């Protein structure tokens, strides 16, 4: 009876609910087949909304499952952002995939299972729990990337992601085994106590491998090689999902691992994070300039944005984690909005992906052009759009932590990246018009309007969000 009580199941209500909902929807899909795709899709969205409500209303904090699972304000904030991004991605994926003739009940179900994996990652309090959540998310994403089995690009994207993902999992497991071998435990709390003194060389090597495995999941340089091909090859709604929700979960997990059990080794891991952040910002700014496919451009843009978020993590302070959380929340909205415009790039029912296809868009569909211009300016960090405030918080935290060089490099790469963002605006507003796109579906239009409002006017109501992110960051250090 005591062991059952120590499970403390109430702290994991959102995860338990998502697990039960996933199993129930799997049975429904097996019984109804592809005819039940839309029902399962909207049931998945409803499940994520309920999970958000359970997360938001449950203010309890503590450990569950004998210390493998932790619930706190940090986990709650990250889960709400990840669940929200996943719900929107499922909504747009249902319509877009149906328009492409891909109706499979497995799609929303796999996205729901990936969301469950994300939640377990965010609340992981043990290296074993970390790996279980990571693999639950990854295995679902491998299949989702290759969901269009009839197209070579989608199959290739899924295969590349699977092979490289297996490599990263091996690195992560090797690092975890080294950490266990030199510390005698996989529990984050035990590790934190064991690492209070001078860390051994074996622990440092294990931490390096662990960071390498996690860096792959956030597509940080030099573990980014899968990103452009997978983003281009996967169906656009799936790419939007890849670019948003999993990044939030992986970044939150990265922060929990480094600040929690390895907080005393900040001198060692800060060097890794600084190098990875610098390389990601530089590559994201430079490599995107030569891209002609807008999905590949967004892939390199996401690599750069990961670098900016890592600036907050490199600071290693509560202000830095606060900046990271705010940046990722803003990044999710910008990314979903930008991909909503990309999904609207269709002529006679066929999707187009070249930047040149946007030529003269302002003359035929001014609202769509204005929306994409807002997202591009926000990603470039131009005030008063939300993207500016995201970069302001992470750079300010870096300066407060004495990382002046890192902040300067971040500002310089932001200036360079502004070139290709503004180039897209130039193509839409100043190049000769081409054939207009098809009418934008109502679902995409609603997502676009909501994203534009948040990015343009979010600063007016940013106070409560900043308070929540500050409390979330403080809880991570308190734990």
């Amino acid at each position: 009876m005591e062991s059952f009580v120590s499970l403390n199941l109430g702290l994991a209500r959102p995860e338990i609910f998502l697990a039960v909902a996933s199993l129930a929807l799997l049975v429904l899909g097996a019984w109804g087949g592809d005819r039940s795709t839309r029902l399962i899709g909207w049931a998945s969205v409803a499940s994520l909304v309920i999970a958000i409500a359970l997360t938001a209303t449950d203010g309890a904090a503590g450990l569950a499952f004998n210390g493998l699972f932790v619930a706190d304000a940090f986990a709650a904030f990250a889960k709400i952002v990840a669940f929200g991004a996943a719900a929107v991605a499922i909504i747009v994926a249902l319509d877009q995939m149906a328009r492409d003739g891909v109706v499979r009940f497995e799609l929303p179900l796999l996205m729901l299972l990936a969301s469950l994996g994300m939640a377990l990652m965010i609340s992981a309090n043990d290296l074993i729990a970390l790996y279980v959540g990571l693999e639950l998310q990854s295995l679902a994403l491998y299949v989702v990337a290759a969901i269009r089995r009839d197209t070579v690009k989608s199959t290739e994207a899924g295969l590349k992601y699977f092979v490289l993902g297996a490599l990263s999992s091996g690195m992560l497991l090797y690092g975890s085994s080294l950490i266990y071998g030199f510390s005698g435990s996989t529990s984050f709390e035990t590790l934190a106590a064991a690492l209070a003194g001078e860390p051994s060389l074996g622990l440092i090597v294990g931490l390096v491998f662990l960071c390498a495995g996690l860096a792959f999941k956030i597509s940080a340089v030099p573990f980014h090689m899968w990103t452009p091909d997978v983003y281009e090859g996967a169906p656009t709604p799936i790419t939007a999902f890849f670019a948003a929700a999993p990044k939030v979960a992986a970044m939150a997990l990265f922060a929990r691992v480094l600040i929690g059990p390895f907080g005393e080794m900040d001198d060692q891991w800060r060097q890794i994070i600084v190098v990875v952040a610098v390389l990601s910002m530089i590559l994201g700014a430079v490599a995107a300039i030569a891209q002609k496919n807008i999905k590949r451009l967004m892939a390199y843009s996401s690599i750069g944005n990961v670098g900016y978020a890592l600036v907050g993590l490199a600071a290693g302070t509560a202000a830095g984690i606060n900046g990271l959380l705010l940046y990722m929340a803003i990044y999710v909205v910008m990314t979903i909005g930008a991909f909503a415009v990309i999904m609207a790039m269709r002529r006679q029912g066929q999707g187009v992906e070249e930047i040149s296809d946007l030529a003269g868009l302002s003359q035929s569909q001014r609202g769509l052009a204005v929306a994409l211009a807002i997202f591009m300016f926000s990603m470039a960090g131009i005030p008063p759009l939300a993207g500016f405030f995201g970069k302001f918080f992470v750079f300010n935290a870096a300066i407060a932590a004495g990382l002046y060089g890192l902040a300067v490099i971040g500002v310089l790469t932001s200036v360079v990246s502004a070139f290709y963002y503004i180039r897209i605006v130039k193509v839409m507003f100043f190049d000769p018009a081409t054939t207009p796109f098809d009418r934008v579906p109502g679902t995409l239009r609603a997502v676009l309007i909501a994203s534009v409002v948040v990015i343009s006017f979010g600063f007016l109501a940013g106070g409560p969000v900043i308070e929540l992110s500050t409390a979330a960051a403080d809880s991570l250090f308190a734990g």
Side-chain angles (χ1 to χ4, degrees), residues 276-298:
V276 169
V278 169
L279 292 177
S280 298
M281 290 187 292
I282 292 175
L283 182 79
V286 175
I289 294 175
Q291 302 304 315
K292 297 181 180 179
N293 182 291
I294 192 166
K295 287 171 70 176
R296 291 186 72 88
L297 182 145
M298 290 298 296

Side-chain angles (χ1 to χ4, degrees), residues 1 8 84 89 98 101 130 145 207 218 234 257 268 287 326 335 373 390 399 419 459:
M1 186 67 178
N8 211 358
L130 177 158
L207 177 60
I218 60 174
V257 168
Q268 284 79 20
L326 287 172
T335 299
I399 292 172
F419 169 79
F459 66 92

Side-chain angles (χ1 to χ4, degrees), residues 138-158:
S138 298
L139 290 172
L141 294 182
Y142 297 151
V143 182
V144 167
I147 196 72
R148 295 196 64 178
R149 298 189 297 268
D150 55 336
T151 62
V152 175
K153 277 190 173 182
S154 181
T155 305
E156 180 184 358

Side-chain angles (χ1 to χ4, degrees), residues 3 50 61 78 122 152-153 183 195 210 231 267 369 454 469:
S3 62
I50 293 173
I122 294 169
V152 175
K153 277 190 173 182
S183 68
L195 298 177
L210 185 66
Y231 274 42
D267 289 338
V454 172
S469 65

Side-chain angles (χ1 to χ4, degrees), residues 79-226:
K79 286 177 190 177
I80 290 171
V81 175
F83 289 160
V88 174
I90 292 175
I91 291 172
V92 296
L94 287 174
D95 283 344
Q96 290 297 111
M97 299 298 279
R99 294 173 74 192
D100 290 333
V102 181
V103 180
R104 295 196 178 98
F105 78 88
E106 298 94 344
L107 176 62
L109 184 56
L110 286 167
M111 295 170 78
L112 185 63
L113 285 169
S115 302
L116 173 59
M118 294 174 210
L120 294 175
M121 288 167 57
I122 294 169
S123 285
N125 196 46
D126 188 282
L127 292 175
I128 296 175
L130 177 158
Y131 183 71
V132 170
L134 197 63
E135 286 305 297
L136 177 57
Q137 174 205 257
S138 298
L139 290 172
L141 294 182
Y142 297 151
V143 182
V144 167
I147 196 72
R148 295 196 64 178
R149 298 189 297 268
D150 55 336
T151 62
V152 175
K153 277 190 173 182
S154 181
T155 305
E156 180 184 358
L159 183 60
K160 285 182 177 178
Y161 190 32
F162 172 72
V163 172
L164 293 173
L167 174 63
S168 74
S169 295
M171 296 172 69
L172 189 144
L173 281 175
Y174 183 64
S176 299
S177 64
L178 283 174
I179 293 169
Y180 173 72
F182 282 90
S183 68
S185 177
T186 58
S187 169
F188 286 0
E189 291 186 322
T190 306
L191 284 172
L195 298 177
E198 185 69 22
S200 65
L201 179 61
L203 275 173
I204 295 174
V205 173
L207 177 60
V208 170
F209 276 96
L210 185 66
C211 289
L214 293 176
F216 175 91
K217 300 303 178 183
I218 60 174
S219 65
V221 178
F223 307 99
H224 66 286
M225 65 288 293
W226 62 272

